[in-house]
Coordinates of all heavy atoms in Angstrom, one line a residue:
M9 N -34.3 4.2 84.4 CA -34.0 3.8 83.0 C -32.7 4.5 82.6 O -32.5 5.6 82.8 CB -35.1 4.3 82.1 CG -35.0 3.8 80.7 SD -36.3 4.4 79.6 CE -37.6 3.3 80.1
S10 N -31.7 3.7 82.1 CA -30.4 4.2 81.7 C -30.4 4.7 80.3 O -31.2 4.2 79.5 CB -29.3 3.2 81.9 OG -29.5 2.1 81.0
Q11 N -29.6 5.7 80.1 CA -29.5 6.3 78.7 C -28.4 5.5 77.9 O -27.4 5.1 78.5 CB -29.1 7.7 78.8 CG -30.1 8.6 79.4 CD -29.7 10.1 79.4 OE1 -28.5 10.4 79.5 NE2 -30.6 11.0 79.2
P12 N -28.7 5.3 76.6 CA -27.7 4.6 75.8 C -26.4 5.5 75.7 O -26.4 6.7 75.8 CB -28.3 4.5 74.5 CG -29.4 5.5 74.4 CD -29.8 5.8 75.8
D13 N -25.3 4.8 75.6 CA -24.0 5.5 75.4 C -24.0 6.2 74.1 O -24.6 5.8 73.1 CB -22.8 4.4 75.4 CG -22.6 3.8 76.7 OD1 -23.0 4.4 77.8 OD2 -22.1 2.7 76.8
A14 N -23.3 7.4 74.1 CA -23.1 8.2 72.9 C -22.3 7.3 71.9 O -21.5 6.5 72.3 CB -22.5 9.5 73.2
P15 N -22.6 7.5 70.6 CA -21.8 6.8 69.6 C -20.3 7.2 69.7 O -20.0 8.3 70.0 CB -22.4 7.2 68.3 CG -23.2 8.4 68.5 CD -23.5 8.4 70.0
K16 N -19.5 6.2 69.5 CA -18.0 6.4 69.6 C -17.5 6.9 68.3 O -18.0 6.5 67.2 CB -17.3 5.1 70.0 CG -17.7 4.5 71.3 CD -17.3 5.3 72.4 CE -17.7 4.6 73.7 NZ -17.8 5.5 74.8
I17 N -16.6 7.9 68.3 CA -16.0 8.4 67.1 C -14.7 7.8 66.9 O -13.9 7.8 67.9 CB -15.9 10.0 67.2 CG1 -17.2 10.6 67.4 CG2 -15.2 10.5 66.0 CD1 -17.2 12.1 67.7
E18 N -14.4 7.3 65.8 CA -13.1 6.8 65.5 C -12.2 7.8 64.8 O -12.7 8.4 63.8 CB -13.2 5.5 64.6 CG -13.8 4.4 65.3 CD -13.8 3.1 64.4 OE1 -12.9 2.9 63.6 OE2 -14.7 2.3 64.5
F19 N -11.1 8.1 65.4 CA -10.2 9.2 64.9 C -9.1 8.5 64.0 O -8.6 7.5 64.4 CB -9.6 10.0 66.0 CG -10.7 10.7 66.8 CD1 -11.1 10.3 68.0 CD2 -11.3 11.8 66.2 CE1 -12.1 11.0 68.7 CE2 -12.2 12.5 66.9 CZ -12.6 12.1 68.2
P20 N -8.6 9.2 63.0 CA -9.2 10.4 62.4 C -10.5 10.2 61.8 O -10.8 9.1 61.3 CB -8.2 10.8 61.3 CG -7.5 9.5 61.0 CD -7.5 8.7 62.2
C21 N -11.4 11.2 61.9 CA -12.7 11.1 61.4 C -12.9 12.2 60.3 O -13.1 13.4 60.6 CB -13.7 11.4 62.5 SG -15.4 11.3 62.0
P22 N -12.9 11.8 59.0 CA -13.0 12.7 57.9 C -14.5 13.2 57.9 O -15.4 12.6 58.3 CB -12.7 11.9 56.7 CG -12.8 10.5 57.1 CD -12.6 10.4 58.6
N23 N -14.6 14.4 57.3 CA -15.9 15.1 57.1 C -16.7 15.2 58.4 O -18.0 15.0 58.4 CB -16.7 14.3 56.1 CG -16.0 14.4 54.7 OD1 -15.6 15.4 54.3 ND2 -15.9 13.2 54.1
Y24 N -16.1 15.5 59.5 CA -16.7 15.7 60.8 C -17.4 17.1 60.7 O -16.7 18.1 60.5 CB -15.7 15.6 61.9 CG -16.4 15.8 63.3 CD1 -16.8 14.6 63.9 CD2 -16.5 17.0 63.9 CE1 -17.4 14.7 65.2 CE2 -17.1 17.1 65.2 CZ -17.6 16.0 65.8 OH -18.1 16.1 67.0
P25 N -18.7 17.2 60.9 CA -19.4 18.5 60.8 C -19.3 19.3 62.1 O -19.5 18.8 63.2 CB -20.8 18.1 60.5 CG -21.0 16.8 61.2 CD -19.7 16.1 61.1
I26 N -19.1 20.6 61.9 CA -19.2 21.5 63.0 C -20.1 22.6 62.6 O -19.9 23.3 61.6 CB -17.8 22.1 63.4 CG1 -16.9 21.0 63.8 CG2 -18.0 23.2 64.5 CD1 -15.4 21.5 64.1
K27 N -21.2 22.8 63.4 CA -22.2 23.9 63.0 C -22.0 25.0 64.0 O -22.0 24.8 65.2 CB -23.6 23.3 63.1 CG -24.6 24.3 62.6 CD -26.0 23.6 62.5 CE -27.0 24.5 61.9 NZ -28.3 23.8 61.6
V28 N -22.0 26.2 63.5 CA -21.7 27.4 64.3 C -22.8 28.4 64.0 O -23.0 28.8 62.9 CB -20.3 28.0 64.0 CG1 -20.1 29.2 65.0 CG2 -19.2 27.0 64.1
V29 N -23.6 28.8 65.0 CA -24.6 29.8 64.9 C -24.2 31.1 65.5 O -23.7 31.1 66.7 CB -26.0 29.3 65.5 CG1 -27.1 30.3 65.3 CG2 -26.3 27.9 64.9
G30 N -24.4 32.2 64.8 CA -24.0 33.5 65.4 C -24.6 34.6 64.7 O -25.5 34.5 63.9
K31 N -24.2 35.8 65.1 CA -24.7 37.1 64.5 C -24.3 37.1 63.0 O -23.2 36.8 62.6 CB -24.1 38.3 65.2 CG -24.4 38.3 66.7 CD -23.7 39.5 67.3 CE -23.9 39.4 68.8 NZ -23.2 40.4 69.6
G32 N -25.3 37.6 62.2 CA -25.0 37.7 60.8 C -24.2 39.0 60.4 O -24.7 39.8 59.7
V33 N -23.0 39.1 61.0 CA -22.2 40.3 60.7 C -21.3 40.0 59.5 O -21.1 38.9 59.1 CB -21.3 40.6 61.9 CG1 -22.1 40.9 63.2 CG2 -20.3 39.4 62.2
D34 N -20.8 41.1 58.9 CA -19.9 41.0 57.8 C -18.7 40.3 58.2 O -18.1 40.5 59.3 CB -19.5 42.4 57.2 CG -20.7 43.1 56.5 OD1 -21.6 42.4 56.1 OD2 -20.6 44.4 56.5
G35 N -18.2 39.4 57.4 CA -17.0 38.6 57.6 C -17.2 37.5 58.6 O -16.2 36.9 59.0
Y36 N -18.4 37.1 59.0 CA -18.7 36.1 59.9 C -18.1 34.7 59.5 O -17.4 34.0 60.3 CB -20.2 35.9 60.2 CG -20.6 34.8 61.1 CD1 -20.2 34.9 62.5 CD2 -21.3 33.7 60.7 CE1 -20.6 33.9 63.3 CE2 -21.7 32.7 61.6 CZ -21.3 32.8 62.9 OH -21.7 31.8 63.8
E37 N -18.2 34.4 58.2 CA -17.7 33.1 57.7 C -16.1 33.1 57.9 O -15.6 32.1 58.3 CB -18.0 32.9 56.3 CG -19.5 32.6 56.0 CD -20.3 33.9 55.8 OE1 -19.8 35.0 56.1 OE2 -21.4 33.8 55.3
Q38 N -15.5 34.2 57.6 CA -14.0 34.3 57.8 C -13.6 34.2 59.2 O -12.6 33.5 59.5 CB -13.5 35.5 57.1 CG -12.0 35.5 57.0 CD -11.5 34.4 56.1 OE1 -12.0 34.2 55.0 NE2 -10.5 33.6 56.6
I39 N -14.4 34.8 60.1 CA -14.0 34.7 61.5 C -14.1 33.3 62.0 O -13.2 32.8 62.7 CB -15.0 35.6 62.3 CG1 -14.8 37.1 62.0 CG2 -14.9 35.4 63.8 CD1 -15.9 38.0 62.5
V40 N -15.2 32.6 61.7 CA -15.3 31.2 62.1 C -14.2 30.3 61.4 O -13.6 29.5 62.1 CB -16.7 30.7 61.7 CG1 -16.8 29.2 61.8 CG2 -17.8 31.4 62.5
A41 N -13.9 30.5 60.2 CA -12.9 29.8 59.5 C -11.5 30.0 60.1 O -10.8 29.0 60.3 CB -12.9 30.1 58.0
D42 N -11.2 31.2 60.5 CA -9.9 31.5 61.1 C -9.8 30.8 62.4 O -8.7 30.3 62.7 CB -9.7 33.0 61.2 CG -9.5 33.8 59.9 OD1 -9.3 33.1 58.9 OD2 -9.7 35.0 59.9
I43 N -10.8 30.8 63.2 CA -10.8 30.1 64.5 C -10.6 28.6 64.3 O -9.7 28.0 65.0 CB -12.0 30.4 65.3 CG1 -12.1 31.9 65.7 CG2 -12.1 29.5 66.6 CD1 -13.4 32.4 66.3
I44 N -11.3 28.0 63.4 CA -11.3 26.6 63.2 C -9.9 26.2 62.6 O -9.3 25.2 63.0 CB -12.4 26.1 62.4 CG1 -13.7 26.2 63.1 CG2 -12.2 24.6 61.9 CD1 -15.0 25.9 62.3
R45 N -9.4 27.0 61.7 CA -8.2 26.7 61.0 C -7.0 26.6 62.0 O -6.0 25.9 61.7 CB -7.9 27.7 59.9 CG -7.0 27.1 58.8 CD -6.9 28.0 57.6 NE -7.8 27.5 56.6 CZ -8.6 28.3 55.9 NH1 -8.7 29.6 56.1 NH2 -9.4 27.8 55.0
V46 N -7.0 27.3 63.1 CA -6.0 27.1 64.1 C -5.8 25.7 64.5 O -4.7 25.2 64.7 CB -6.2 28.0 65.3 CG1 -5.3 27.7 66.5 CG2 -6.2 29.5 64.9
H47 N -6.9 25.0 64.6 CA -6.9 23.6 65.1 C -7.1 22.6 64.0 O -6.8 21.4 64.3 CB -8.0 23.4 66.2 CG -8.0 24.4 67.3 ND1 -7.1 24.4 68.3 CD2 -8.7 25.6 67.5 CE1 -7.2 25.4 69.1 NE2 -8.3 26.1 68.6
A48 N -7.5 23.0 62.9 CA -7.7 22.1 61.7 C -7.2 22.8 60.5 O -8.0 23.3 59.7 CB -9.2 21.7 61.6
P49 N -5.9 22.9 60.3 CA -5.4 23.6 59.2 C -5.8 23.1 57.8 O -5.7 23.9 56.8 CB -3.8 23.4 59.3 CG -3.6 22.6 60.5 CD -4.9 22.2 61.1
D50 N -6.3 21.9 57.7 CA -6.8 21.4 56.4 C -8.2 21.8 56.1 O -8.8 21.2 55.2 CB -6.6 19.9 56.4 CG -7.5 19.2 57.5 OD1 -7.9 19.8 58.5 OD2 -7.8 18.0 57.3
L51 N -8.8 22.7 56.9 CA -10.2 23.1 56.6 C -10.4 23.5 55.2 O -9.7 24.3 54.7 CB -10.6 24.3 57.5 CG -11.9 24.9 57.3 CD1 -13.0 24.0 57.6 CD2 -12.1 26.2 58.1
D52 N -11.4 22.9 54.5 CA -11.7 23.2 53.1 C -12.9 24.0 53.0 O -14.0 23.6 53.3 CB -11.9 21.9 52.4 CG -12.1 22.1 50.9 OD1 -12.1 23.2 50.4 OD2 -12.3 21.0 50.2
L53 N -12.7 25.3 52.7 CA -13.9 26.2 52.6 C -14.7 26.0 51.4 O -15.8 26.6 51.2 CB -13.4 27.7 52.6 CG -12.9 28.1 54.0 CD1 -12.4 29.5 54.0 CD2 -13.9 27.9 55.1
E54 N -14.3 25.1 50.5 CA -15.2 24.7 49.4 C -16.4 23.9 49.8 O -17.4 23.8 49.2 CB -14.4 23.9 48.3 CG -13.2 24.6 47.7 CD -13.7 25.8 46.8 OE1 -14.7 25.6 46.1 OE2 -13.1 26.8 46.9
I55 N -16.2 23.2 51.0 CA -17.3 22.4 51.5 C -17.8 23.1 52.8 O -17.4 22.9 53.9 CB -16.8 21.0 51.9 CG1 -16.0 20.4 50.8 CG2 -18.0 20.1 52.4 CD1 -15.3 19.1 51.2
I56 N -18.7 24.1 52.6 CA -19.3 24.9 53.7 C -20.7 25.1 53.3 O -21.1 25.3 52.2 CB -18.5 26.2 53.9 CG1 -19.0 26.9 55.1 CG2 -18.5 27.0 52.6 CD1 -18.1 28.2 55.4
K57 N -21.6 25.1 54.4 CA -23.0 25.4 54.2 C -23.3 26.6 55.0 O -23.0 26.7 56.2 CB -23.8 24.2 54.6 CG -23.7 23.0 53.8 CD -24.6 21.9 54.2 CE -24.3 20.6 53.4 NZ -25.1 19.5 53.9
V58 N -23.9 27.6 54.4 CA -24.3 28.9 55.1 C -25.8 29.1 55.0 O -26.3 28.9 53.9 CB -23.5 30.1 54.5 CG1 -23.9 31.4 55.3 CG2 -22.0 29.9 54.6
K59 N -26.4 29.4 56.1 CA -27.9 29.6 56.1 C -28.2 30.8 56.9 O -27.7 30.9 58.1 CB -28.6 28.4 56.6 CG -30.1 28.5 56.5 CD -30.8 27.3 56.9 CE -32.3 27.5 56.8 NZ -33.1 26.3 57.2
E60 N -28.9 31.8 56.3 CA -29.4 33.0 57.0 C -30.7 32.7 57.7 O -31.5 31.9 57.2 CB -29.6 34.1 56.0 CG -28.3 34.5 55.3 CD -27.4 35.5 56.1 OE1 -27.9 36.1 57.0 OE2 -26.2 35.5 55.8
S61 N -30.9 33.4 58.9 CA -32.2 33.3 59.5 C -33.2 34.1 58.7 O -32.8 34.9 57.8 CB -32.1 33.8 60.9 OG -31.8 35.2 60.9
S62 N -34.5 33.9 58.9 CA -35.5 34.6 58.1 C -35.4 36.1 58.1 O -35.7 36.8 57.2 CB -36.9 34.1 58.5 OG -37.1 34.4 59.9
N63 N -34.9 36.6 59.3 CA -34.8 38.1 59.4 C -33.4 38.6 59.1 O -33.1 39.8 59.2 CB -35.3 38.6 60.7 CG -34.5 38.1 61.9 OD1 -33.5 37.4 61.7 ND2 -35.0 38.3 63.1
G64 N -32.5 37.7 58.8 CA -31.1 38.1 58.5 C -30.2 38.4 59.7 O -29.1 38.8 59.6
R65 N -30.8 38.2 60.9 CA -30.1 38.6 62.1 C -29.0 37.6 62.5 O -28.0 37.9 63.1 CB -31.1 38.8 63.3 CG -30.6 39.7 64.3 CD -31.7 40.1 65.3 NE -31.1 40.1 66.6 CZ -31.6 39.7 67.7 NH1 -32.8 39.2 67.7 NH2 -30.9 39.8 68.8
F66 N -29.3 36.3 62.2 CA -28.4 35.2 62.6 C -28.0 34.4 61.3 O -28.7 34.5 60.3 CB -29.0 34.3 63.6 CG -29.3 34.9 64.9 CD1 -30.6 35.4 65.2 CD2 -28.4 35.1 65.8 CE1 -30.9 36.0 66.4 CE2 -28.6 35.7 67.0 CZ -29.9 36.1 67.3
R67 N -26.8 33.8 61.4 CA -26.3 33.0 60.3 C -25.8 31.7 60.9 O -25.1 31.7 61.9 CB -25.2 33.8 59.6 CG -24.7 33.1 58.4 CD -23.7 34.0 57.7 NE -24.3 35.3 57.4 CZ -23.7 36.5 57.3 NH1 -22.4 36.5 57.5 NH2 -24.3 37.6 57.0
S68 N -26.1 30.6 60.3 CA -25.5 29.3 60.7 C -24.5 28.9 59.6 O -24.8 29.0 58.4 CB -26.5 28.2 60.9 OG -27.1 27.8 59.7
I69 N -23.4 28.3 60.1 CA -22.3 27.9 59.2 C -22.0 26.4 59.6 O -21.8 26.2 60.8 CB -21.1 28.7 59.3 CG1 -21.4 30.2 58.9 CG2 -19.9 28.2 58.4 CD1 -20.2 31.1 59.2
T70 N -22.0 25.6 58.6 CA -21.5 24.2 58.9 C -20.3 24.0 58.0 O -20.3 24.2 56.8 CB -22.6 23.2 58.5 OG1 -23.8 23.5 59.2 CG2 -22.2 21.8 58.8
V71 N -19.2 23.6 58.7 CA -17.9 23.3 58.1 C -17.6 21.8 58.4 O -18.2 21.2 59.3 CB -16.8 24.2 58.6 CG1 -17.0 25.6 58.2 CG2 -16.5 24.0 60.0
Y72 N -16.8 21.3 57.6 CA -16.4 19.9 57.7 C -14.9 19.8 57.8 O -14.2 20.3 57.0 CB -16.9 19.0 56.5 CG -18.4 19.1 56.4 CD1 -19.0 20.1 55.7 CD2 -19.2 18.1 57.0 CE1 -20.4 20.2 55.6 CE2 -20.6 18.2 57.0 CZ -21.2 19.2 56.3 OH -22.5 19.3 56.2
I73 N -14.4 19.1 58.9 CA -13.0 18.9 59.1 C -12.7 17.4 59.2 O -13.6 16.6 59.4 CB -12.5 19.6 60.4 CG1 -13.2 19.0 61.7 CG2 -12.9 21.1 60.4 CD1 -12.5 19.4 63.0
T74 N -11.4 17.2 59.2 CA -10.9 15.8 59.6 C -10.6 15.9 61.1 O -9.6 16.5 61.5 CB -9.7 15.4 58.8 OG1 -10.1 15.3 57.4 CG2 -9.2 14.0 59.3
A75 N -11.5 15.4 61.9 CA -11.3 15.4 63.4 C -10.2 14.4 63.7 O -10.2 13.3 63.4 CB -12.5 15.1 64.1
T76 N -9.2 14.9 64.5 CA -8.0 14.1 64.8 C -8.1 13.6 66.3 O -7.3 12.7 66.6 CB -6.7 14.8 64.6 OG1 -6.7 16.0 65.4 CG2 -6.6 15.2 63.1
G77 N -9.0 14.1 67.1 CA -9.1 13.7 68.5 C -10.0 14.5 69.3 O -10.4 15.6 68.9
V78 N -10.3 14.0 70.5 CA -11.2 14.7 71.4 C -10.6 16.1 71.8 O -11.4 17.1 71.8 CB -11.5 13.9 72.7 CG1 -12.3 14.6 73.7 CG2 -12.2 12.6 72.3
Q79 N -9.4 16.2 72.1 CA -8.8 17.4 72.5 C -8.9 18.5 71.4 O -9.2 19.7 71.7 CB -7.3 17.2 72.8 CG -6.6 18.4 73.4 CD -7.2 18.8 74.8 OE1 -7.3 17.9 75.6 NE2 -7.6 20.0 75.0
Q80 N -8.7 18.1 70.1 CA -8.9 19.1 69.0 C -10.3 19.6 69.0 O -10.6 20.8 68.9 CB -8.6 18.4 67.7 CG -8.9 19.3 66.5 CD -9.1 18.5 65.2 OE1 -9.7 17.4 65.2 NE2 -8.6 19.0 64.1
L81 N -11.3 18.7 69.2 CA -12.7 19.1 69.1 C -13.1 20.0 70.3 O -13.8 21.0 70.2 CB -13.6 17.9 69.1 CG -13.5 17.0 67.8 CD1 -14.4 15.8 67.9 CD2 -13.8 17.8 66.6
E82 N -12.5 19.7 71.5 CA -12.8 20.5 72.7 C -12.1 21.9 72.5 O -12.7 22.9 72.9 CB -12.2 19.9 73.9 CG -13.0 18.7 74.4 CD -12.4 17.9 75.5 OE1 -11.2 18.2 75.9 OE2 -13.0 17.0 76.0
N83 N -10.9 22.0 71.9 CA -10.3 23.3 71.7 C -11.1 24.1 70.7 O -11.2 25.3 70.9 CB -8.9 23.1 71.2 CG -7.9 22.5 72.3 OD1 -8.2 22.6 73.5 ND2 -6.9 21.9 71.9
I84 N -11.6 23.5 69.6 CA -12.4 24.2 68.6 C -13.6 24.8 69.3 O -14.0 26.0 69.1 CB -12.7 23.3 67.4 CG1 -11.5 23.0 66.6 CG2 -13.8 24.0 66.6 CD1 -11.7 22.0 65.5
H85 N -14.3 24.0 70.1 CA -15.5 24.4 70.7 C -15.2 25.5 71.7 O -16.0 26.5 71.7 CB -16.1 23.2 71.5 CG -17.5 23.5 72.0 ND1 -17.7 24.1 73.3 CD2 -18.7 23.3 71.5 CE1 -18.9 24.2 73.5 NE2 -19.6 23.7 72.5
R86 N -14.2 25.4 72.5 CA -13.8 26.5 73.4 C -13.6 27.8 72.7 O -14.1 28.8 73.1 CB -12.6 26.0 74.2 CG -12.2 27.1 75.3 CD -10.8 26.8 75.8 NE -9.8 27.1 74.7 CZ -8.9 26.2 74.3 NH1 -8.7 25.0 74.9 NH2 -8.1 26.5 73.3
D87 N -12.7 27.8 71.7 CA -12.4 29.0 71.0 C -13.6 29.6 70.2 O -13.7 30.8 70.3 CB -11.2 28.7 70.0 CG -9.9 28.5 70.7 OD1 -9.9 28.6 72.0 OD2 -8.9 28.1 70.0
L88 N -14.4 28.8 69.6 CA -15.6 29.3 69.0 C -16.5 29.9 70.0 O -17.1 31.0 69.8 CB -16.3 28.3 68.1 CG -15.6 27.9 66.8 CD1 -16.3 26.6 66.3 CD2 -15.6 29.0 65.8
S89 N -16.7 29.2 71.1 CA -17.7 29.7 72.1 C -17.2 31.0 72.8 O -18.0 31.8 73.2 CB -17.8 28.6 73.2 OG -18.4 27.5 72.7
S90 N -15.9 31.3 72.7 CA -15.4 32.5 73.4 C -15.5 33.7 72.4 O -15.2 34.8 72.8 CB -14.0 32.3 73.9 OG -13.1 32.2 72.8
C91 N -15.8 33.5 71.1 CA -16.0 34.5 70.1 C -17.3 35.3 70.4 O -18.3 34.7 70.5 CB -15.9 34.0 68.7 SG -16.2 35.2 67.4
E92 N -17.2 36.6 70.4 CA -18.3 37.5 70.7 C -19.5 37.3 69.7 O -20.6 37.6 70.0 CB -17.9 38.9 70.8 CG -17.4 39.5 69.5 CD -17.0 41.0 69.6 OE1 -17.8 41.8 70.1 OE2 -15.9 41.3 69.1
H93 N -19.1 36.9 68.5 CA -20.2 36.8 67.4 C -20.9 35.4 67.4 O -21.9 35.3 66.7 CB -19.5 37.0 66.0 CG -18.9 38.4 65.9 ND1 -19.6 39.5 66.0 CD2 -17.6 38.7 65.7 CE1 -18.7 40.6 65.9 NE2 -17.5 40.1 65.7
V94 N -20.3 34.5 68.1 CA -20.9 33.1 68.1 C -21.9 32.9 69.3 O -21.6 33.3 70.4 CB -19.7 32.1 68.2 CG1 -20.3 30.7 68.4 CG2 -18.8 32.2 67.0
H95 N -23.0 32.4 69.0 CA -24.0 32.1 70.0 C -24.0 30.6 70.4 O -24.3 30.3 71.6 CB -25.4 32.5 69.5 CG -25.6 34.0 69.5 ND1 -25.9 34.7 70.6 CD2 -25.6 34.8 68.4 CE1 -26.0 36.0 70.2 NE2 -25.9 36.1 68.9
M96 N -23.8 29.7 69.4 CA -23.9 28.3 69.7 C -23.0 27.5 68.8 O -22.8 27.9 67.6 CB -25.3 27.9 69.5 CG -25.7 26.5 69.9 SD -27.4 26.0 69.6 CE -28.3 27.5 69.5
V97 N -22.4 26.5 69.4 CA -21.5 25.6 68.6 C -22.1 24.1 68.8 O -22.3 23.7 69.9 CB -20.1 25.6 69.0 CG1 -19.2 24.7 68.2 CG2 -19.5 27.0 69.0
M98 N -22.3 23.5 67.6 CA -22.8 22.1 67.7 C -21.9 21.2 66.9 O -21.3 21.5 66.0 CB -24.2 22.0 67.1 CG -25.2 22.9 67.9 SD -26.8 22.9 67.1 CE -26.7 24.3 66.1

């Protein structure tokens, strides 16, 4: 049985969500924003969702960017994944 193809993204893609899960350390939101802003300078921090885990150990952040291409998304994923405070990027 074959798997269906992943949906195609048309670029530019406004309001593209990036969810980042990591340690609930002080300044975590700023760390994530600084990494993403290198590749998406138009990042709007007014549109951000932050959720703490029940024990406060982890924090998930969802930001929305205008995705301009696959290379941009791959670079963001690579840079976020290499951050010591980040556990997962979706």
Side-chain angles (χ1 to χ4, degrees):
M9 189 180 281
S10 66
Q11 293 181 325
D13 291 337
K16 302 290 182 203
I17 300 172
E18 291 186 32
F19 296 105
C21 180
N23 297 316
Y24 184 88
I26 299 174
K27 186 172 188 173
V28 186
V29 179
K31 298 176 186 173
V33 298
D34 289 337
Y36 179 65
E37 291 90 345
Q38 191 62 51
I39 292 167
V40 170
D42 289 346
I43 292 170
I44 293 174
R45 202 171 262 133
V46 169
H47 306 286
D50 63 337
L51 174 65
D52 183 2
L53 291 180
E54 296 293 320
I55 310 170
I56 185 173
K57 294 180 183 176
V58 180
K59 184 176 180 184
E60 297 281 336
S61 66
S62 59
N63 63 8
R65 210 170 139 217
F66 296 99
R67 188 174 301 150
S68 72
I69 299 173
T70 304
V71 298
Y72 299 87
I73 66 166
T74 298
T76 58
V78 173
Q79 189 65 49
Q80 176 201 36
L81 297 176
E82 289 173 351
N83 290 339
I84 290 171
H85 187 275
R86 181 197 65 233
D87 289 354
L88 285 169
S89 296
S90 68
C91 176
E92 67 180 309
H93 302 297
V94 173
H95 287 284
M96 186 181 339
V97 180
M98 298 177 269

